Amino acid sequence: MPSALGNERVDTKTPRKGFRADIEGLRAFAVILVVLDHLFRWPTGGFIGVDVFYVLSGFLITGILLREHASSGWISFSAFYARRVKRILPAAVTVLVVTVVASYLLLQRARADQILVDAFSALTFTANWHFIRTGTDYLQADGPVSPVQHYWSLSVEEQFYVVWPALMLLLLALAARWLTTRRTPMILAVIAAVTVLSLAWSVWSTAQNPTEAYFDTFGRVWELSAGALLAIALPFLRSMTPRLGTVLSWFGLIALVAGALLITTSTPFPGPWALVPVLATILIIIGGTGTPGIIALTNRPTRYIGRISYSLYLWHFPVIIFTEALLPTAPVAAVVVSLVAMFVLSALSYHLVERPVMASSWLRHRLGAPVRRRRQLVGAAVVALVVVGLSAAQVKGPAVVADGPRLRAALHLDQTGAVSHDAWNSAAELAADVHTAASATEWPTLSPALGDIGTGLAAPQMDEQSGCRNEVQARGKPSVCTSGPADADRVVLVLGDSIAVSWLPGIQAAADADTRVVGLGYASCPLIDALLDDGGSASWTTACAAANQQMLDYAAELQPDEIIVSSSGSAMNRLASGASGDDAGREWEAATLSTARTLDRLAPAVTFLTNTPAGADPIECITAVASPQACTVTISDSWRMKATAERQAVESLPSDAGVRFVDSSAWVCDDDGTCPLFVGTTPVRFDYFHLTAQFSGALGPVLREAFRWDAVPATP
């Protein structure tokens, strides 16, 4: 991420100020990788461009600090932070303001509200902790992506620089006080220890929780400090021959290209695979010490992109997000518009914002003027405490999401959590409305309203606190949802992941007055006799297996008359075995068969209810200019494979087994596999997968018909 690099110039051959054309070109190479990754999802490892920026940042900024200390015997915190403010804030704030305004003009209110919250965390340099707190997965995005999500890397960098100048000053002062010779080796040893400890933490945390590890400041410090090590050690390499320097530069560039092509979103990252871009960048910097730089990095077009790389990094992501939202059915046009817009905005930002501010006298005299050293130390401590406090608030505080109470209030819920809605009386009646919605070109008057579709439309049972969607790693007795009389003649138990929980309003509506419906689910953890993965976290896999056993134990204790099981369509793609395609289908079928046999022993009747096919996320596809077709999708091959695996597993059981399979696709998709966002006047989903409480509740008679409850007498 190019924020710290700007136009800082450094000559690594001598401690004097100079210019490295190859470093400017390397910035261009890094930002192009990031842009390609976000725009084309190729190369698969394009995100390593951020790691290149971290090394360059640590190298350049540490070089500046060393030169200042060599000339004055001190590091001026006021001057340092004045440079940071001038370099970082003007362009960053400009992009944030434009992004927030555009969000309210073009997107749903709920999504715009969330983007405003995200922008505040970006402005306070705590975006990385904010995205950890809200469960954002940078490498496996499965929901609406924030157009300011890329600010996480800027936050990591600025948190590092809250501490780094003070640490450098302390090391230099201690070396001067205690040592008369060999000061540099001592400083190198301390920074090397910091680097190794941070790298070790990165490797460990990536293995434990890769989603959080990607944003973790402590797991990224080693990349910046590796650049700092290089800045301190590079004077010892002044005798390098030009030929060797050229070879090292080319080797480093080839390694970067290979890393971008071979590293994928499933590669353990940042620890240890970020070593590839880090070491490759170090080789290129070392190689440029004895040469003018290789032509691939020093040509004029490449250098210009490097010059505007900070603005390009800031602008490219919101441009891509907004363009994809406004042109969802024209991917080629979206790419062309994105490329043109991001480069035009970046050039304008560089020439009209970045350069004028850096050349201005703003902050030059007030903060850059000599200040008493004690005051500087106190000021630096205050800055550090503020940033640490804000970061701690993000980590420990509640996750802030967009206007959830307002959105939930849009539902008409009675005190029992049931949905008040005119239900479809039969599958045939529902199919007619699905067919009409699939070909609609204009939005009907939806209830809840179009602008209120968002995460707040989940059924109350989905709530982590008051519902029965449990976290797999939560300790203690799981939460259970119950409706119907305690002495009911029939007990129906719903088990699975959050998809199963989202069916509860409909299943409750399908039940008669003498049926008690009980729900128990675990987020992202279906009831299946197979180990599942959650981004590479071994602890989660173990916890999910324990949650499965807990669901089975609960069923054995409850002794229900019927068990209904349902699971997310993405579950089959998260097998811990790593199976994919047909292999995943076969493994899922075998696991479903094993689960069915177990459940058949626990209840007289067992129903495997498919998840509804995934569709476009309404909070993402609904914009100021979108038609219903922008939110209409077709049934995926992945969904068909999972449904087929479950059907074949059930059909392979003996005929006297009390297990049946129910296909839900006809309730939300037309005969040709086209799936609209709404049916009648009711939104179907509030995200890619989960049913809205209203739609689920409206399916009561259809579910009753599918389960054949009218034909099955209650247990006497």
Side-chain angles (χ1 to χ4, degrees):
M1 183 247 16
S3 56
L5 308 181
N7 291 320
E8 305 287 5
R9 301 187 175 200
V10 57
D11 183 356
T12 55
K13 297 180 185 179
T14 71
R16 298 175 183 173
K17 211 169 190 180
F19 176 67
R20 286 278 300 265
D22 61 331
I23 286 182
E24 193 166 65
L26 188 53
R27 286 200 296 266
F29 187 84
V31 78
I32 288 173
L33 281 180
V34 174
V35 170
L36 290 176
D37 179 33
H38 289 155
L39 189 58
F40 298 105
R41 279 62 170 177
W42 181 92
T44 55
F47 52 84
I48 68 173
V50 170
D51 307 274
V52 175
F53 285 126
Y54 280 151
V55 179
L56 289 176
S57 179
F59 172 73
L60 294 170
I61 299 302
T62 302
I64 292 171
L65 297 176
L66 290 173
R67 287 194 298 275
E68 181 181 357
H69 190 272
S71 62
S72 66
W74 181 255
I75 292 175
S76 172
F77 298 124
S78 59
F80 177 81
Y81 291 120
R83 290 194 301 268
R84 299 302 296 162
V85 168
K86 292 179 70 172
R87 180 72 193 96
I88 300 302
L89 282 183
V93 171
T94 299
V95 174
L96 288 176
V97 170
V98 172
T99 300
V100 170
V101 171
S103 298
Y104 279 100
L105 291 175
L106 301 175
L107 306 178
Q108 287 189 80
R109 174 64 183 272
R111 190 178 183 191
D113 287 346
Q114 185 60 62
I115 291 170
L116 179 62
V117 173
D118 298 339
F120 178 77
S121 70
L123 185 63
T124 56
F125 302 118
T126 58
N128 60 319
W129 300 114
H130 166 70
F131 289 124
I132 286 176
R133 189 71 183 92
T134 55
T136 302
D137 189 338
Y138 185 85
L139 298 179
Q140 302 285 351
D142 59 357
V145 178
S146 171
V148 299
Q149 182 175 293
H150 60 314
Y151 273 73
W152 75 268
S153 56
L154 181 62
S155 297
V156 168
E157 188 181 35
E158 295 315 306
Q159 290 163 24
F160 176 80
Y161 287 124
V162 165
V163 176
W164 194 246
L167 179 59
M168 287 298 301
L169 180 62
L170 177 63
L171 290 177
L172 291 166
L174 291 177
R177 183 179 181 87
W178 292 346
L179 301 172
T180 56
T181 60
R182 304 182 64 82
R183 295 176 181 176
T184 299
M186 185 275 282
I187 296 173
L188 284 172
V190 173
I191 297 178
V194 171
T195 303
V196 171
L197 288 174
S198 174
L199 175 58
W201 170 262
S202 179
V203 173
W204 181 85
S205 60
T206 299
Q208 296 300 311
N209 194 329
T211 300
E212 293 186 6
Y214 192 87
F215 295 110
D216 185 7
T217 301
F218 308 112
R220 294 286 188 167
V221 162
W222 68 274
E223 300 180 46
L224 290 143
S225 60
L229 281 172
L230 186 58
I232 299 169
L234 207 60
F236 297 106
L237 304 173
R238 281 179 290 184
S239 60
M240 180 182 300
T241 64
R243 178 175 295 180
L244 178 58
T246 299
V247 170
L248 290 178
S249 294
W250 276 111
F251 187 82
L253 189 60
I254 292 171
L256 273 181
V257 173
L261 293 173
L262 298 177
I263 292 174
T264 70
T265 55
S266 61
T267 303
F269 206 91
W273 283 95
L275 279 168
V276 173
V278 168
L279 294 177
T281 304
I282 288 174
L283 286 178
I284 294 172
I285 297 175
I286 293 174
T289 301
T291 69
I294 56 178
I295 189 64
L297 299 177
T298 58
N299 62 83
R300 294 184 67 179
T302 300
R303 285 174 51 191
Y304 180 75
I305 295 175
R307 206 168 300 138
I308 67 170
S309 59
Y310 178 44
S311 282
L312 181 55
Y313 183 83
L314 293 177
W315 281 110
H316 87 281
F317 203 55
V319 165
I320 291 172
I321 297 299
F322 286 125
T323 305
E324 288 181 347
L326 296 177
L327 298 172
T329 59
V332 175
V335 167
V336 173
V337 171
S338 293
L339 285 172
V340 172
M342 71 175 67
F343 277 100
V344 169
L345 289 171
S346 301
L348 291 174
S349 180
Y350 172 73
H351 291 288
L352 300 181
V353 179
E354 287 190 64
R355 288 188 65 183
V357 171
M358 289 299 293
S360 71
S361 60
W362 178 54
L363 295 180
R364 182 181 299 167
H365 301 296
R366 183 167 49 183
L367 290 181
V371 180
R372 290 181 181 274
R373 293 180 176 181
R374 182 175 298 177
R375 292 181 183 176
Q376 291 194 38
L377 290 172
V378 172
V382 170
V383 171
L385 287 173
V386 169
V387 174
V388 170
L390 289 170
S391 298
Q394 293 284 6
V395 174
K396 299 296 183 181
V400 181
V401 294
D403 213 2
R406 179 183 68 83
L407 294 178
R408 181 164 295 171
L411 289 173
H412 305 291
L413 302 175
D414 62 25
Q415 296 301 313
T416 64
V419 181
S420 175
H421 190 280
D422 292 332
W424 287 280
N425 294 315
S426 67
E429 180 182 319
L430 175 59
D433 280 354
V434 170
H435 178 74
T436 300
S439 58
T441 57
E442 294 184 1
W443 293 101
T445 301
L446 297 181
S447 176
L450 192 65
D452 284 337
I453 300 176
T455 54
L457 299 186
Q461 295 90 336
M462 291 279 287
D463 190 271
E464 294 180 21
Q465 304 300 322
S466 59
C468 49
R469 183 176 69 92
N470 299 273
E471 295 296 327
V472 296
Q473 292 174 308
R475 296 180 179 180
K477 189 176 180 179
S479 299
V480 176
C481 298
T482 302
S483 66
D487 58 348
D489 292 331
R490 180 185 292 123
V491 177
V492 175
L493 175 60
V494 181
L495 297 175
D497 55 14
S498 58
I499 295 297
V501 177
S502 74
W503 282 113
L504 279 172
I507 295 172
Q508 290 173 354
D512 58 28
D514 291 325
T515 298
R516 179 158 57 104
V517 177
V518 182
L520 170 59
Y522 286 87
S524 302
C525 179
L527 180 58
I528 191 74
D529 190 14
L531 293 178
L532 297 179
D533 190 12
D534 186 48
S537 173
S539 60
W540 187 94
T541 298
T542 301
C544 180
N548 266 251
Q549 187 58 52
Q550 197 160 24
M551 284 189 275
L552 293 174
D553 292 343
Y554 185 82
E557 179 183 352
L558 185 65
Q559 296 183 334
D561 297 281
E562 182 168 350
I563 297 174
I564 299 174
V565 181
S566 191
S567 61
S568 168
S570 66
M572 194 181 73
N573 301 321
R574 296 188 290 110
L575 292 166
S577 65
S580 60
D582 292 340
D583 291 337
R586 284 187 287 269
E587 183 175 342
W588 192 265
E589 181 180 344
T592 301
L593 178 59
S594 176
T595 304
R597 286 169 173 163
T598 300
L599 295 178
D600 192 33
R601 294 191 293 269
L602 299 178
V606 177
T607 298
F608 280 84
L609 175 62
T610 68
N611 58 293
T612 55
D617 192 330
I619 204 171
E620 190 171 18
C621 68
I622 296 176
T623 67
V625 298
S627 75
Q629 294 304 308
C631 299
T632 300
V633 300
T634 56
I635 298 177
S636 68
D637 292 338
S638 177
W639 184 91
R640 294 185 187 279
M641 182 177 293
K642 176 175 178 289
T644 298
E646 292 172 351
R647 177 179 55 79
Q648 290 178 344
V650 171
E651 290 178 351
S652 67
L653 290 168
S655 58
D656 59 348
V659 184
R660 62 171 168 254
F661 169 81
V662 174
D663 184 344
S664 65
S665 61
W667 305 338
V668 294
C669 302
D670 204 0
D671 291 340
D672 62 355
T674 303
C675 311
L677 175 62
F678 63 90
V679 179
T681 60
T682 306
V684 174
R685 300 175 311 278
F686 64 83
D687 59 13
Y688 288 114
F689 310 107
H690 300 93
L691 300 176
T692 63
Q694 284 196 336
F695 187 78
S696 179
L699 292 177
V702 176
L703 287 168
R704 186 178 184 86
E705 181 182 48
F707 296 156
R708 302 195 295 274
W709 281 353
D710 288 327
V712 180
T715 302

